[in-house]
Amino acid sequence: MKKLSVLICLSFFLTGCTVSKVDLDSKEKALEIALNKDIELFNRVSIGYKYYLPRGMTIIDYENYNEVLYSNTTTYYLYVDITSYHYKKEKQYEIDNSKQYSKILNYDGKTGYLEIDKQNDKYYILYEYNYAKIEAIVKEKNINEAILNMSYILSSIKYNDVVIKNIIGENVLDFKEEKYTIKKPKQNDKTFLDYVNIYDKYNDEEEIEDTDTIKQNNETLEEVTK
């Protein structure tokens, strides 16, 4: 019976459905499975950190620990906060009941939060975990896929202490004085929505098959049903 319940949760997580507070709450078990998955594969290496980028996702811009990623009509904005990681500065999160969905995350010593809020006919996702953040504005039908991609990226980030220590040491004054928030590519006065308009010019009907995510989802389903 327990296996059947988990399988039902995963089926809701991996298929499109009407998004509501009830539907999102029913996916918490699947979110827990995704974050507890020990990913040992790494295909993206940057200065001071590396992570697993699901197949089907591409990097379309990078600058100063800010990356713009794209997959299946969705643009993701990733920021890796090596300063907070170096000083082990953990934020205090609170549930925001004004959002469509708000959840504090704490798995295997990694903390963060996930927020989803409706904006017009789309949904804004803010996902902070493991000293990194991802933002995205997605269609309702792409919420589950976006959360899964974000979970794999954020939970798989591994930091290089030696490299980060050298970086912070060389720029100690700059790092201590700068207030770190998610920065969008090309630092200027453009807003998050401005960048959505710049980068999100792909055909909305275009479907890019994320074969690696599908493969991992199938493996998870097989593990649950054993």
Side-chain angles (χ1 to χ4, degrees), residues 44-58:
R44 166 61 177 156
V45 178
S46 189
I47 301 174
Y49 66 94
K50 61 182 178 180
Y51 66 86
Y52 174 71
L53 183 69
R55 187 172 302 171
M57 297 191 74
T58 58

Side-chain angles (χ1 to χ4, degrees), residues 192-208:
F192 176 78
L193 291 178
D194 290 330
Y195 281 98
V196 170
N197 292 330
I198 292 173
Y199 290 104
D200 197 12
K201 295 182 179 179
Y202 299 86
N203 186 345
D204 284 345
E205 302 301 321
E206 179 185 3
E207 298 294 333
I208 302 176

Side-chain angles (χ1 to χ4, degrees), residues 127-211:
Y127 197 152
E128 180 167 349
Y129 187 71
N130 192 21
Y131 300 103
K133 289 183 182 181
I134 300 184
E135 288 179 307
I137 292 180
V138 304
K139 292 182 177 180
E140 182 177 314
K141 67 179 181 179
N142 293 336
I143 290 178
N144 299 334
E145 178 185 346
I147 292 175
L148 194 60
N149 284 336
M150 291 175 170
S151 296
Y152 284 138
I153 292 172
L154 294 178
S155 64
S156 70
I157 293 177
K158 293 290 190 298
Y159 295 93
N160 188 318
D161 292 324
V162 175
V163 173
I164 292 176
K165 182 178 180 179
N166 289 334
I167 294 173
I168 301 297
E170 292 174 358
N171 303 276
V172 63
L173 294 179
D174 292 337
F175 278 108
K176 285 186 176 180
E177 293 175 358
E178 185 171 354
K179 181 180 178 181
Y180 276 83
T181 56
I182 284 189
K183 304 173 185 176
K184 306 309 177 292
K186 312 298 183 187
Q187 297 182 14
N188 52 35
D189 294 329
K190 291 185 180 298
T191 65
F192 176 78
L193 291 178
D194 290 330
Y195 281 98
V196 170
N197 292 330
I198 292 173
Y199 290 104
D200 197 12
K201 295 182 179 179
Y202 299 86
N203 186 345
D204 284 345
E205 302 301 321
E206 179 185 3
E207 298 294 333
I208 302 176
E209 183 180 21
D210 191 344
T211 55

